[in-house]
Amino acid sequence: MVELPQISSPARFEETLIPGGPSLNLEGLGMKPTAATPRRLPDDTAKLHASQDDHLPQGILETEEEKKHHWFVGSIDQGTTSSRFLIFNGEGDPVASHQREFENLYPRSGWHEHDPLELLRSVEQCIEEAMRKFIDLGHSKSDLRSIGITNQRETTVVWDSTTGEPLHNAIVWPDTRTKALVRELKSRESADTLAEICGLPLSTYPSSVKLLWLLQNIDSVKQAYEEGRLAFGTVDSWLIYKLNGGAKAGKPVHVTDSTNASRTMFMNLHTLQYDDKLLGFFGIDKAKIHLPKIVPSSDSEAFGKVASGTLINVPIAGCLGDQSSALVGQCGFSAGQAKNTYGTGCFLLYNVGTEPVISKYGLLATVAYDFGGSKKPVYALEGSIAVAGSGVKFLMNNLGFADQSSEITALAESVPDNGGVVFVTAFSGLFAPYWIDDAKGTLCKPPFSPQPSATFTNAPSVGVTQHTTKAHIARATLEATCYQTRAILEAMEKDSNHKLESLAVDGGLSNSDLCMQTQADISGIPINRPGMRETTALGAAIAAGLATGVWRALEDLNEVNKNGRKVFEPQMERAKAEKMFKKWGQAVEMSRGWVNDH
């Protein structure tokens, strides 16, 4: 592991897998003084003004560069387990934030839901609390240029366009209730041609099958559809609609951006508009449903303004699906750059440039970002893993391994290896590049340990032994994400004909040095972790800031989030890594076929 120069940087606000971390350093972040405290320029800045008086317009006391210290942009980060609101300055540093967890609902095995109104309330409460902290620092609402939104993507919300009230709980992205429906859809004529249009394979993952299930099974949704008052959207559309006043607004704002729309299977990836063939395949009549208008990810007017509360009249100027937002937050603006976010799930995006690449190896083609104007949309290949941080939560909540997530990493570090245990964490089936809907979580004990020892010489081919400990299972849980990431990287290499040279990482699980070192060892490439890991929220702030003058061009972002990075170099012998990965492949095969609906 190579240590890069460290500087004081903001702490990770969401739950981390390592205790402590750098504290939030507010010094030098351009805190605007209160009226009672007049601003005093540093000596060198005062000298600069003295020498530039002839070059600055009358009444202007600061250069554009200096003004960046006083520009702020907010970011709503609505995730699977919590909502947050963060405020960034013009250098991309967070200066205030608030986070609130909400209840996840599991009415049946494989079902996963959210209360849409609770999502909204959690966002509104985070805004109020973060703004209170912001004001306590001496700022005011007028210092905030705009806000952006980033969100869990495929999660599907339906509401009554007349009343603005939800018609059912939101169906969350990893929900698998649609697996029988997906099998039926795959048998339809032309099913194998859809990915060429929308970039996504048929699976339980996209919004389309969730909407279709609601139409087939929920009477109130079906009736609203038949009467032409059914509104559909992903979480971004729902939040934007309600923050603008919902049905009570003079002109309700019902929009989505192309990164979120590309996760529905309704949008043509080439035109960035709804496609009649795709809608027809799912039996969706555009005349009976209110679909959100698709707009660019960065726009000063399309997303409207906040209608009430502390941020009343503040523009919503940016919107990105969470994984696209993380790529933007990592400043992955060049073709060939990639990031992996280790959150509830794990999502790897690879920038492929301004033309979509339809995968032949089990990946998704998606919109990376679309900043509108004269700029072309940028596309990405994506590999999605259903279980990452949620695997750690499983050990804590279901098996009682620990009370804090940091204890799981400590537990895994207490043993030198996994003791021969392989854990395929297929709680919601396996996503890319496998797409095995009937897989279930499977704990395997191959016939030998990756680091052979006498203890495991005569171990059975499957199953744990009395020598297996919680520590071995904890280590195998962290490794499961690393194995799946490598499988995605190999598929990306085949699709792009280019081997990735390094991987930028973020998300809660990336705080585990053990997990990131294991990722470097298994993948055989350096893993690059930023000091400030609020990249998902930062991406939405960048989209909003580009639309409202905080940054004028991508070149202005060259130095954003570059400080305090740590690089994990591969240390494991390649032969050993290959043997471990081969055993993972065998374990994946063992996880197949556990789901039987008949």
Side-chain angles (χ1 to χ4, degrees):
M1 185 172 69
V2 176
E3 294 282 353
L4 296 181
Q6 298 289 311
I7 67 164
S8 179
S9 59
R12 177 75 180 176
F13 290 112
E14 69 181 45
E15 183 178 37
T16 64
L17 294 179
I18 54 175
S23 61
L24 183 62
N25 178 11
L26 297 177
E27 183 179 355
L29 295 186
M31 297 302 137
K32 192 170 184 177
T34 63
T37 307
R39 179 171 178 266
R40 181 179 182 275
L41 296 176
D43 290 342
D44 55 348
T45 306
K47 292 176 181 177
L48 176 64
H49 286 312
S51 64
Q52 289 189 345
D53 283 344
D54 294 337
H55 304 285
L56 292 173
Q58 186 176 1
I60 302 298
L61 299 178
E62 296 176 299
T63 65
E64 289 298 313
E65 190 64 30
E66 289 165 341
K67 283 184 179 180
K68 287 183 181 180
H69 292 273
H70 308 292
W71 293 341
F72 297 93
V73 60
S75 178
I76 295 169
D77 184 355
Q78 203 300 299
T80 310
T81 59
S82 69
S83 298
R84 299 183 301 150
F85 184 68
L86 296 89
I87 300 170
F88 293 88
N89 67 10
E91 293 182 330
D93 299 313
V95 298
S97 75
H98 191 75
Q99 177 175 0
R100 197 199 116 177
E101 292 191 357
F102 51 82
E103 185 178 7
N104 277 259
L105 308 172
Y106 304 95
R108 298 186 191 178
S109 176
W111 292 30
H112 190 174
E113 297 180 356
H114 289 153
D115 177 351
L117 293 175
E118 179 65 10
L119 295 184
L120 176 65
R121 283 192 294 268
S122 68
V123 166
E124 291 175 335
Q125 289 174 9
C126 288
I127 289 173
E128 295 300 311
E129 287 300 311
M131 283 301 294
R132 181 184 58 78
K133 297 173 185 177
F134 185 63
I135 291 170
D136 286 347
L137 290 170
H139 305 294
S140 67
K141 185 187 77 171
S142 62
D143 296 331
L144 207 63
R145 283 288 183 89
S146 57
I147 66 171
I149 292 178
T150 182
N151 58 282
Q152 50 173 317
R153 295 174 297 176
E154 294 80 7
T155 297
T156 301
V157 188
V158 289
W159 65 93
D160 188 320
S161 63
T162 303
T163 67
E165 295 303 305
L167 293 167
H168 192 270
N169 280 338
I171 299 181
V172 187
W173 57 270
D175 185 286
T176 58
R177 75 185 69 187
T178 57
K179 53 185 178 289
L181 175 58
V182 169
R183 285 197 292 272
E184 187 272 319
L185 290 171
K186 286 181 176 179
S187 68
R188 292 185 183 181
E189 185 179 356
S190 76
D192 57 352
T193 66
L194 301 182
E196 291 292 330
I197 305 172
C198 67
L200 306 182
L202 275 168
S203 75
T204 60
Y205 191 25
S207 306
S208 55
V209 296
K210 296 174 171 63
L211 174 61
L212 195 54
W213 186 93
L214 287 165
L215 286 169
Q216 293 178 355
N217 293 276
I218 306 300
D219 289 341
S220 60
V221 176
K222 183 177 181 180
Q223 183 178 352
Y225 175 75
E226 293 298 336
E227 295 175 1
R229 53 184 172 84
L230 178 64
F232 157 84
T234 44
V235 171
D236 59 308
S237 296
W238 167 248
L239 292 178
I240 292 167
Y241 172 77
K242 296 299 278 188
L243 289 173
N244 274 275
K248 297 178 181 179
K251 186 178 180 182
V253 179
H254 189 195
V255 299
T256 188
D257 92 300
S258 54
T259 68
N260 281 293
S262 69
R263 315 303 296 185
T264 62
M265 290 194 80
F266 296 148
M267 187 190 83
N268 186 308
L269 202 60
H270 306 272
T271 66
L272 304 190
Q273 296 299 321
Y274 293 114
D275 188 276
D276 288 340
K277 180 178 180 180
L278 295 173
L279 291 168
F281 178 85
F282 292 103
I284 302 298
D285 184 348
K286 286 191 298 185
K288 293 182 177 181
I289 190 169
H290 297 265
L291 297 172
K293 180 182 178 182
I294 302 171
V295 299
S297 311
S298 179
D299 193 287
S300 62
E301 297 181 356
F303 304 108
K305 296 181 179 180
V306 180
S308 62
T310 304
L311 294 183
I312 187 169
N313 291 326
V314 172
I316 304 169
C319 179
L320 288 160
D322 52 7
Q323 304 313 319
S324 289
S325 194
L327 181 66
V328 171
Q330 290 274 18
C331 296
F333 301 127
S334 299
Q337 291 182 295
K339 71 87 199 175
N340 201 15
T341 296
Y342 299 78
T344 301
C346 195
F347 304 88
L348 200 159
L349 259 67
Y350 180 91
N351 184 327
V352 298
T354 56
E355 294 294 333
V357 174
I358 305 301
S359 176
K360 298 179 180 178
Y361 299 95
L363 302 178
L364 311 179
T366 193
V367 178
Y369 55 86
D370 175 12
F371 290 152
S374 61
K375 306 178 189 70
K376 292 183 177 181
V378 172
Y379 296 89
L381 283 169
E382 175 175 341
S384 305
I385 299 169
V387 175
S390 57
V392 172
K393 291 283 189 181
F394 171 79
L395 298 185
M396 293 165 53
N397 300 337
N398 295 49
L399 302 184
F401 275 26
D403 295 325
Q404 301 292 329
S405 57
S406 58
E407 297 173 27
I408 298 297
T409 290
L411 191 63
E413 288 174 335
S414 69
V415 290
D417 55 54
N418 60 24
V421 175
V422 179
F423 191 5
V424 183
T425 52
F427 306 142
S428 301
L430 283 174
F431 287 4
Y434 308 105
W435 299 108
I436 307 174
D437 289 338
D438 62 358
K440 282 292 185 182
T442 306
L443 197 61
C444 303
K445 179 69 167 62
F448 58 83
S449 170
Q451 293 184 353
S453 62
T455 304
F456 296 101
T457 300
N458 298 313
S461 60
V462 179
V464 298
T465 74
Q466 61 184 343
H467 299 285
T468 301
T469 68
K470 291 193 295 185
H472 294 123
I473 296 174
R475 194 169 185 116
T477 302
L478 297 181
E479 291 174 348
T481 300
C482 301
Y483 288 130
Q484 291 177 81
T485 296
R486 171 172 166 175
I488 290 170
L489 288 170
E490 289 189 348
M492 286 182 171
E493 181 178 347
K494 293 175 183 176
D495 277 323
S496 65
N497 294 315
H498 176 73
K499 182 175 176 58
L500 200 65
E501 295 181 356
S502 67
L503 181 64
V505 298
D506 51 60
L509 202 60
S510 72
N511 290 285
S512 168
D513 284 3
L514 173 62
C515 188
M516 294 301 96
Q517 185 58 57
T518 301
Q519 188 68 80
D521 291 340
I522 296 297
S523 303
I525 59 174
I527 303 300
N528 189 324
R529 185 178 70 189
M532 198 288 289
R533 292 188 277 284
E534 297 293 351
T535 53
T536 302
L538 177 59
I542 287 173
L546 284 169
T548 53
V550 177
W551 301 282
R552 287 190 171 84
L554 297 183
E555 291 73 23
D556 292 345
L557 298 159
N558 287 339
E559 299 305 317
V560 167
N561 203 23
K562 292 294 188 292
N563 295 320
R565 287 185 176 263
K566 180 181 288 186
V567 177
F568 297 82
E569 296 283 355
Q571 296 177 356
M572 183 181 291
E573 293 180 2
R574 294 315 302 156
K576 178 180 174 183
E578 293 303 318
K579 183 179 290 187
M580 292 172 66
F581 189 62
K582 181 178 180 181
K583 287 300 174 188
W584 164 260
Q586 294 174 350
V588 167
E589 292 304 312
M590 294 176 186
S591 75
R592 290 179 181 270
W594 290 101
V595 178
N596 188 345
D597 292 331
H598 304 291

mmCIF file of all heavy atoms in Angstrom, residues 58-90:
data_model
loop_
_atom_site.group_PDB
_atom_site.id
_atom_site.type_symbol
_atom_site.label_atom_id
_atom_site.label_comp_id
_atom_site.label_asym_id
_atom_site.label_seq_id
_atom_site.Cartn_x
_atom_site.Cartn_y
_atom_site.Cartn_z
ATOM 1 N N GLN A 58 -15.027 48.687 -10.853
ATOM 2 C CA GLN A 58 -15.258 49.475 -9.650
ATOM 3 C C GLN A 58 -16.258 48.771 -8.727
ATOM 4 O O GLN A 58 -17.290 48.291 -9.155
ATOM 5 C CB GLN A 58 -15.788 50.863 -10.021
ATOM 6 C CG GLN A 58 -15.929 51.805 -8.830
ATOM 7 C CD GLN A 58 -16.371 53.192 -9.254
ATOM 8 O OE1 GLN A 58 -16.582 53.435 -10.446
ATOM 9 N NE2 GLN A 58 -16.476 54.097 -8.311
ATOM 10 N N GLY A 59 -15.923 48.697 -7.431
ATOM 11 C CA GLY A 59 -16.791 48.072 -6.452
ATOM 12 C C GLY A 59 -16.551 46.584 -6.280
ATOM 13 O O GLY A 59 -17.082 45.964 -5.363
ATOM 14 N N ILE A 60 -15.732 45.956 -7.130
ATOM 15 C CA ILE A 60 -15.427 44.535 -7.009
ATOM 16 C C ILE A 60 -14.158 44.381 -6.192
ATOM 17 O O ILE A 60 -13.100 44.883 -6.566
ATOM 18 C CB ILE A 60 -15.245 43.870 -8.391
ATOM 19 C CG1 ILE A 60 -16.520 44.049 -9.217
ATOM 20 C CG2 ILE A 60 -14.905 42.406 -8.242
ATOM 21 C CD1 ILE A 60 -17.736 43.396 -8.606
ATOM 22 N N LEU A 61 -14.247 43.674 -5.081
ATOM 23 C CA LEU A 61 -13.105 43.549 -4.169
ATOM 24 C C LEU A 61 -12.438 42.186 -4.226
ATOM 25 O O LEU A 61 -11.468 41.954 -3.526
ATOM 26 C CB LEU A 61 -13.569 43.811 -2.731
ATOM 27 C CG LEU A 61 -14.156 45.207 -2.475
ATOM 28 C CD1 LEU A 61 -14.611 45.308 -1.040
ATOM 29 C CD2 LEU A 61 -13.134 46.284 -2.804
ATOM 30 N N GLU A 62 -12.980 41.270 -5.047
ATOM 31 C CA GLU A 62 -12.420 39.923 -5.091
ATOM 32 C C GLU A 62 -12.293 39.445 -6.535
ATOM 33 O O GLU A 62 -13.088 39.812 -7.393
ATOM 34 C CB GLU A 62 -13.305 38.937 -4.327
ATOM 35 C CG GLU A 62 -13.414 39.228 -2.847
ATOM 36 C CD GLU A 62 -14.389 38.263 -2.198
ATOM 37 O OE1 GLU A 62 -15.561 38.257 -2.584
ATOM 38 O OE2 GLU A 62 -13.947 37.522 -1.322
ATOM 39 N N THR A 63 -11.312 38.610 -6.766
ATOM 40 C CA THR A 63 -11.192 37.957 -8.057
ATOM 41 C C THR A 63 -12.204 36.821 -8.113
ATOM 42 O O THR A 63 -12.740 36.395 -7.098
ATOM 43 C CB THR A 63 -9.778 37.388 -8.252
ATOM 44 O OG1 THR A 63 -9.572 36.350 -7.277
ATOM 45 C CG2 THR A 63 -8.721 38.460 -8.086
ATOM 46 N N GLU A 64 -12.425 36.291 -9.305
ATOM 47 C CA GLU A 64 -13.341 35.167 -9.458
ATOM 48 C C GLU A 64 -12.850 33.963 -8.643
ATOM 49 O O GLU A 64 -13.641 33.227 -8.057
ATOM 50 C CB GLU A 64 -13.473 34.784 -10.936
ATOM 51 C CG GLU A 64 -14.244 35.788 -11.766
ATOM 52 C CD GLU A 64 -15.677 35.930 -11.282
ATOM 53 O OE1 GLU A 64 -16.338 34.904 -11.063
ATOM 54 O OE2 GLU A 64 -16.124 37.070 -11.117
ATOM 55 N N GLU A 65 -11.538 33.749 -8.623
ATOM 56 C CA GLU A 65 -10.980 32.626 -7.871
ATOM 57 C C GLU A 65 -11.282 32.759 -6.387
ATOM 58 O O GLU A 65 -11.637 31.788 -5.712
ATOM 59 C CB GLU A 65 -9.463 32.547 -8.090
ATOM 60 C CG GLU A 65 -8.811 31.278 -7.544
ATOM 61 C CD GLU A 65 -9.300 30.030 -8.251
ATOM 62 O OE1 GLU A 65 -9.650 30.127 -9.443
ATOM 63 O OE2 GLU A 65 -9.350 28.975 -7.590
ATOM 64 N N GLU A 66 -11.169 33.981 -5.873
ATOM 65 C CA GLU A 66 -11.443 34.198 -4.450
ATOM 66 C C GLU A 66 -12.927 34.028 -4.139
ATOM 67 O O GLU A 66 -13.302 33.544 -3.070
ATOM 68 C CB GLU A 66 -10.986 35.598 -4.046
ATOM 69 C CG GLU A 66 -9.469 35.745 -4.009
ATOM 70 C CD GLU A 66 -9.036 37.207 -3.967
ATOM 71 O OE1 GLU A 66 -9.840 38.085 -4.313
ATOM 72 O OE2 GLU A 66 -7.902 37.433 -3.579
ATOM 73 N N LYS A 67 -13.778 34.392 -5.091
ATOM 74 C CA LYS A 67 -15.208 34.278 -4.862
ATOM 75 C C LYS A 67 -15.650 32.822 -4.696
ATOM 76 O O LYS A 67 -16.670 32.550 -4.065
ATOM 77 C CB LYS A 67 -15.985 34.911 -6.026
ATOM 78 C CG LYS A 67 -16.026 36.441 -5.979
ATOM 79 C CD LYS A 67 -16.883 36.958 -7.110
ATOM 80 C CE LYS A 67 -16.973 38.479 -7.082
ATOM 81 N NZ LYS A 67 -17.799 38.996 -8.188
ATOM 82 N N LYS A 68 -14.883 31.904 -5.287
ATOM 83 C CA LYS A 68 -15.258 30.504 -5.183
ATOM 84 C C LYS A 68 -15.339 30.055 -3.728
ATOM 85 O O LYS A 68 -16.062 29.117 -3.397
ATOM 86 C CB LYS A 68 -14.264 29.627 -5.952
ATOM 87 C CG LYS A 68 -14.395 29.734 -7.453
ATOM 88 C CD LYS A 68 -13.436 28.786 -8.150
ATOM 89 C CE LYS A 68 -13.555 28.912 -9.663
ATOM 90 N NZ LYS A 68 -12.625 27.999 -10.357
ATOM 91 N N HIS A 69 -14.587 30.698 -2.874
ATOM 92 C CA HIS A 69 -14.612 30.348 -1.468
ATOM 93 C C HIS A 69 -15.946 30.701 -0.824
ATOM 94 O O HIS A 69 -16.240 30.272 0.276
ATOM 95 C CB HIS A 69 -13.478 31.056 -0.726
ATOM 96 C CG HIS A 69 -12.117 30.562 -1.103
ATOM 97 N ND1 HIS A 69 -11.527 29.489 -0.478
ATOM 98 C CD2 HIS A 69 -11.241 30.973 -2.046
ATOM 99 C CE1 HIS A 69 -10.336 29.273 -1.006
ATOM 100 N NE2 HIS A 69 -10.137 30.157 -1.962
ATOM 101 N N HIS A 70 -16.762 31.502 -1.492
ATOM 102 C CA HIS A 70 -18.022 31.945 -0.916
ATOM 103 C C HIS A 70 -19.222 31.419 -1.687
ATOM 104 O O HIS A 70 -20.346 31.787 -1.390
ATOM 105 C CB HIS A 70 -18.060 33.480 -0.872
ATOM 106 C CG HIS A 70 -16.860 34.069 -0.218
ATOM 107 N ND1 HIS A 70 -16.594 33.932 1.118
ATOM 108 C CD2 HIS A 70 -15.832 34.784 -0.728
ATOM 109 C CE1 HIS A 70 -15.453 34.549 1.412
ATOM 110 N NE2 HIS A 70 -14.978 35.062 0.300
ATOM 111 N N TRP A 71 -18.987 30.574 -2.648
ATOM 112 C CA TRP A 71 -20.087 29.983 -3.393
ATOM 113 C C TRP A 71 -20.408 28.633 -2.771
ATOM 114 O O TRP A 71 -19.509 27.823 -2.506
ATOM 115 C CB TRP A 71 -19.696 29.780 -4.862
ATOM 116 C CG TRP A 71 -19.481 31.051 -5.608
ATOM 117 C CD1 TRP A 71 -19.912 32.300 -5.269
ATOM 118 C CD2 TRP A 71 -18.770 31.195 -6.835
ATOM 119 N NE1 TRP A 71 -19.532 33.216 -6.198
ATOM 120 C CE2 TRP A 71 -18.814 32.562 -7.185
ATOM 121 C CE3 TRP A 71 -18.109 30.323 -7.679
ATOM 122 C CZ2 TRP A 71 -18.227 33.072 -8.329
ATOM 123 C CZ3 TRP A 71 -17.520 30.815 -8.826
ATOM 124 C CH2 TRP A 71 -17.573 32.180 -9.152
ATOM 125 N N PHE A 72 -21.673 28.344 -2.617
ATOM 126 C CA PHE A 72 -22.065 27.076 -2.011
ATOM 127 C C PHE A 72 -23.179 26.443 -2.831
ATOM 128 O O PHE A 72 -23.988 27.137 -3.455
ATOM 129 C CB PHE A 72 -22.543 27.299 -0.570
ATOM 130 C CG PHE A 72 -21.472 27.830 0.343
ATOM 131 C CD1 PHE A 72 -21.324 29.198 0.534
ATOM 132 C CD2 PHE A 72 -20.604 26.974 0.995
ATOM 133 C CE1 PHE A 72 -20.337 29.698 1.367
ATOM 134 C CE2 PHE A 72 -19.616 27.461 1.831
ATOM 135 C CZ PHE A 72 -19.474 28.827 2.017
ATOM 136 N N VAL A 73 -23.197 25.139 -2.815
ATOM 137 C CA VAL A 73 -24.241 24.398 -3.523
ATOM 138 C C VAL A 73 -24.622 23.205 -2.658
ATOM 139 O O VAL A 73 -23.764 22.575 -2.037
ATOM 140 C CB VAL A 73 -23.761 23.961 -4.932
ATOM 141 C CG1 VAL A 73 -22.551 23.070 -4.853
ATOM 142 C CG2 VAL A 73 -24.877 23.287 -5.713
ATOM 143 N N GLY A 74 -25.926 22.925 -2.577
ATOM 144 C CA GLY A 74 -26.406 21.837 -1.739
ATOM 145 C C GLY A 74 -26.624 20.561 -2.527
ATOM 146 O O GLY A 74 -26.760 20.573 -3.750
ATOM 147 N N SER A 75 -26.684 19.447 -1.806
ATOM 148 C CA SER A 75 -26.871 18.154 -2.462
ATOM 149 C C SER A 75 -27.754 17.255 -1.610
ATOM 150 O O SER A 75 -27.414 16.937 -0.467
ATOM 151 C CB SER A 75 -25.517 17.473 -2.706
ATOM 152 O OG SER A 75 -25.702 16.203 -3.302
ATOM 153 N N ILE A 76 -28.895 16.859 -2.168
ATOM 154 C CA ILE A 76 -29.744 15.829 -1.558
ATOM 155 C C ILE A 76 -29.214 14.483 -2.017
ATOM 156 O O ILE A 76 -29.111 14.230 -3.218
ATOM 157 C CB ILE A 76 -31.210 15.996 -1.988
ATOM 158 C CG1 ILE A 76 -31.783 17.307 -1.453
ATOM 159 C CG2 ILE A 76 -32.043 14.809 -1.524
ATOM 160 C CD1 ILE A 76 -33.137 17.662 -2.046
ATOM 161 N N ASP A 77 -28.873 13.625 -1.071
ATOM 162 C CA ASP A 77 -28.393 12.275 -1.386
ATOM 163 C C ASP A 77 -29.385 11.293 -0.775
ATOM 164 O O ASP A 77 -29.335 11.004 0.427
ATOM 165 C CB ASP A 77 -26.985 12.080 -0.815
ATOM 166 C CG ASP A 77 -26.378 10.725 -1.178
ATOM 167 O OD1 ASP A 77 -27.087 9.903 -1.784
ATOM 168 O OD2 ASP A 77 -25.203 10.499 -0.844
ATOM 169 N N GLN A 78 -30.302 10.803 -1.596
ATOM 170 C CA GLN A 78 -31.351 9.912 -1.095
ATOM 171 C C GLN A 78 -30.975 8.472 -1.422
ATOM 172 O O GLN A 78 -31.032 8.039 -2.570
ATOM 173 C CB GLN A 78 -32.697 10.289 -1.725
ATOM 174 C CG GLN A 78 -33.913 9.836 -0.920
ATOM 175 C CD GLN A 78 -33.969 8.338 -0.749
ATOM 176 O OE1 GLN A 78 -34.056 7.605 -1.733
ATOM 177 N NE2 GLN A 78 -33.894 7.862 0.478
ATOM 178 N N GLY A 79 -30.580 7.704 -0.409
ATOM 179 C CA GLY A 79 -30.096 6.346 -0.611
ATOM 180 C C GLY A 79 -31.063 5.280 -0.144
ATOM 181 O O GLY A 79 -32.206 5.556 0.225
ATOM 182 N N THR A 80 -30.596 4.041 -0.137
ATOM 183 C CA THR A 80 -31.445 2.902 0.189
ATOM 184 C C THR A 80 -31.775 2.824 1.673
ATOM 185 O O THR A 80 -32.864 2.378 2.048
ATOM 186 C CB THR A 80 -30.756 1.590 -0.250
ATOM 187 O OG1 THR A 80 -30.327 1.717 -1.607
ATOM 188 C CG2 THR A 80 -31.692 0.412 -0.138
ATOM 189 N N THR A 81 -30.871 3.252 2.521
ATOM 190 C CA THR A 81 -31.091 3.135 3.959
ATOM 191 C C THR A 81 -31.174 4.478 4.673
ATOM 192 O O THR A 81 -31.601 4.536 5.824
ATOM 193 C CB THR A 81 -29.973 2.300 4.618
ATOM 194 O OG1 THR A 81 -28.704 2.927 4.366
ATOM 195 C CG2 THR A 81 -29.954 0.889 4.055
ATOM 196 N N SER A 82 -30.751 5.549 4.028
ATOM 197 C CA SER A 82 -30.786 6.858 4.682
ATOM 198 C C SER A 82 -30.859 7.968 3.643
ATOM 199 O O SER A 82 -30.560 7.763 2.467
ATOM 200 C CB SER A 82 -29.556 7.060 5.571
ATOM 201 O OG SER A 82 -28.384 7.190 4.781
ATOM 202 N N SER A 83 -31.255 9.142 4.107
ATOM 203 C CA SER A 83 -31.236 10.363 3.295
ATOM 204 C C SER A 83 -30.266 11.338 3.940
ATOM 205 O O SER A 83 -30.096 11.347 5.160
ATOM 206 C CB SER A 83 -32.633 10.993 3.222
ATOM 207 O OG SER A 83 -33.554 10.133 2.606
ATOM 208 N N ARG A 84 -29.660 12.192 3.111
ATOM 209 C CA ARG A 84 -28.714 13.178 3.624
ATOM 210 C C ARG A 84 -28.845 14.467 2.826
ATOM 211 O O ARG A 84 -29.298 14.460 1.690
ATOM 212 C CB ARG A 84 -27.270 12.657 3.510
ATOM 213 C CG ARG A 84 -27.023 11.389 4.294
ATOM 214 C CD ARG A 84 -25.586 10.936 4.217
ATOM 215 N NE ARG A 84 -25.192 10.694 2.846
ATOM 216 C CZ ARG A 84 -23.943 10.856 2.388
ATOM 217 N NH1 ARG A 84 -22.995 11.289 3.182
ATOM 218 N NH2 ARG A 84 -23.649 10.597 1.134
ATOM 219 N N PHE A 85 -28.426 15.549 3.447
ATOM 220 C CA PHE A 85 -28.276 16.802 2.736
ATOM 221 C C PHE A 85 -26.923 17.374 3.114
ATOM 222 O O PHE A 85 -26.604 17.515 4.299
ATOM 223 C CB PHE A 85 -29.389 17.792 3.086
ATOM 224 C CG PHE A 85 -29.325 19.067 2.293
ATOM 225 C CD1 PHE A 85 -29.580 19.062 0.930
ATOM 226 C CD2 PHE A 85 -29.003 20.274 2.904
ATOM 227 C CE1 PHE A 85 -29.523 20.231 0.185
ATOM 228 C CE2 PHE A 85 -28.941 21.456 2.166
ATOM 229 C CZ PHE A 85 -29.197 21.432 0.800
ATOM 230 N N LEU A 86 -26.106 17.671 2.102
ATOM 231 C CA LEU A 86 -24.767 18.207 2.315
ATOM 232 C C LEU A 86 -24.637 19.526 1.574
ATOM 233 O O LEU A 86 -25.259 19.723 0.524
ATOM 234 C CB LEU A 86 -23.683 17.243 1.815
ATOM 235 C CG LEU A 86 -23.579 15.890 2.518
ATOM 236 C CD1 LEU A 86 -24.476 14.859 1.846
ATOM 237 C CD2 LEU A 86 -22.132 15.386 2.506
ATOM 238 N N ILE A 87 -23.819 20.404 2.095
ATOM 239 C CA ILE A 87 -23.547 21.691 1.463
ATOM 240 C C ILE A 87 -22.056 21.772 1.179
ATOM 241 O O ILE A 87 -21.227 21.581 2.085
ATOM 242 C CB ILE A 87 -23.989 22.858 2.364
ATOM 243 C CG1 ILE A 87 -25.494 22.748 2.641
ATOM 244 C CG2 ILE A 87 -23.671 24.201 1.700
ATOM 245 C CD1 ILE A 87 -25.994 23.692 3.711
ATOM 246 N N PHE A 88 -21.708 22.010 -0.083
ATOM 247 C CA PHE A 88 -20.310 22.071 -0.523
ATOM 248 C C PHE A 88 -19.942 23.503 -0.879
ATOM 249 O O PHE A 88 -20.784 24.273 -1.373
ATOM 250 C CB PHE A 88 -20.097 21.190 -1.758
ATOM 251 C CG PHE A 88 -20.260 19.720 -1.508
ATOM 252 C CD1 PHE A 88 -21.511 19.120 -1.608
ATOM 253 C CD2 PHE A 88 -19.173 18.927 -1.180
ATOM 254 C CE1 PHE A 88 -21.676 17.770 -1.385
ATOM 255 C CE2 PHE A 88 -19.317 17.569 -0.957
ATOM 256 C CZ PHE A 88 -20.572 16.985 -1.052
ATOM 257 N N ASN A 89 -18.663 23.843 -0.674
ATOM 258 C CA ASN A 89 -18.190 25.140 -1.159
ATOM 259 C C ASN A 89 -17.657 24.992 -2.577
ATOM 260 O O ASN A 89 -17.682 23.898 -3.162
ATOM 261 C CB ASN A 89 -17.148 25.741 -0.207
ATOM 262 C CG ASN A 89 -15.855 24.933 -0.168
ATOM 263 O OD1 ASN A 89 -15.636 24.028 -0.956
ATOM 264 N ND2 ASN A 89 -14.986 25.271 0.765
ATOM 265 N N GLY A 90 -17.159 26.078 -3.143
ATOM 266 C CA GLY A 90 -16.716 26.070 -4.528
ATOM 267 C C GLY A 90 -15.485 25.235 -4.798
ATOM 268 O O GLY A 90 -15.125 25.016 -5.958
#
